[in-house]
Amino acid sequence: QVYDHEHGQARRGRRMITEKSITDFIYREAELLDTMQWDAWLALFHASGRYWMPLEWQQQDPVLQPSLMYEDLLLLKVRVERLAGERTFSQKPKSRCHHLLQAPTITACDPANGLFKARTSFIYTETRGDVLERYSGWASHDLIESDGHLKIKLKRIDLVNFDAPFGNIQLFM
């Protein structure tokens, strides 16, 4: 297993992970969120995957320090079921979102273990009815190769205004 920095490729067995496949994965994830394809989005997560939104700048511990969100796959599925449910009256009209992403930067690569990391600056807009909320920050993806596919081990959202009072963030950044 070799990572070729010049060509941005990692070989693991027969599967080749390239910088392009990592960035395509991140763009595809945003597209799934923007088009409310919740089940397809959940399928991008590894079974032990986590979605984390720290409460403090450069926070290192999601368990011993409070977070805006720290959810495992089960909690993510519960939120998705609520969002998709017909009897979720708080979602009438339904919330919608849009991700504007800067090109992801590959920050780490460990092909021996099938681990890849990327960081992406974003502007996220969430709207419901005539209320529009905008957030800016960075999304960090810790990806792992599982059964020949990239999976999210950890998605971390660091907001620029992490210390501001927030209303209810309904969807996923």
Side-chain angles (χ1 to χ4, degrees):
Q1 297 171 351
V2 177
Y3 184 74
D4 181 349
H5 287 280
E6 181 178 343
H7 296 101
Q9 305 176 36
R11 292 188 183 273
R12 181 179 178 163
R14 295 178 151 198
R15 173 87 166 124
M16 184 190 310
I17 303 295
T18 65
E19 288 186 9
K20 183 177 181 337
S21 61
I22 294 168
T23 57
D24 287 350
F25 179 91
I26 292 167
Y27 289 138
R28 175 72 177 144
E29 183 209 8
E31 178 186 7
L32 293 173
L33 290 169
D34 290 349
T35 57
M36 294 184 257
Q37 296 181 54
W38 305 122
D39 291 334
W41 178 70
L42 286 171
L44 298 179
F45 280 83
H46 186 268
S48 63
R50 298 283 190 272
Y51 182 92
W52 180 27
M53 192 178 296
L55 182 62
E56 296 181 19
W57 183 250
Q58 298 182 341
Q59 183 174 332
Q60 297 301 310
D61 191 332
V63 177
L64 298 177
Q65 294 176 272
S67 297
L68 293 169
M69 290 184 211
Y70 184 63
E71 299 182 355
D72 62 7
L73 195 53
L74 175 63
L75 284 173
L76 291 174
K77 286 179 181 178
V78 168
R79 286 189 65 201
V80 162
E81 286 174 10
R82 182 188 64 79
L83 287 169
E86 290 301 317
R87 299 186 55 85
T88 307
F89 299 110
S90 66
Q91 279 295 298
K92 299 211 186 285
K94 289 199 176 289
S95 297
R96 294 182 309 276
C97 66
H98 179 260
H99 292 77
L100 181 61
L101 306 178
Q102 191 174 37
T105 301
I106 308 307
T107 59
C109 182
D110 182 359
N113 292 308
L115 300 172
F116 308 90
K117 294 185 179 194
R119 182 174 161 102
T120 309
S121 296
F122 70 85
I123 296 174
Y124 170 82
T125 304
E126 187 172 293
T127 183
R128 186 171 156 262
D130 62 350
V131 176
L132 184 129
E133 300 284 339
R134 186 159 292 127
Y135 303 90
S136 297
W138 303 269
S140 298
H141 286 81
D142 290 8
L143 304 172
I144 188 167
E145 187 178 358
S146 176
D147 298 325
H149 300 283
L150 287 172
K151 294 287 185 176
I152 299 170
K153 188 77 169 169
L154 174 67
K155 181 174 181 182
R156 176 183 172 142
I157 303 294
D158 287 288
L159 296 175
V160 171
N161 62 333
F162 60 90
D163 51 357
F166 294 109
N168 289 336
I169 299 170
Q170 295 292 321
L171 305 178
F172 303 97
M173 293 185 205

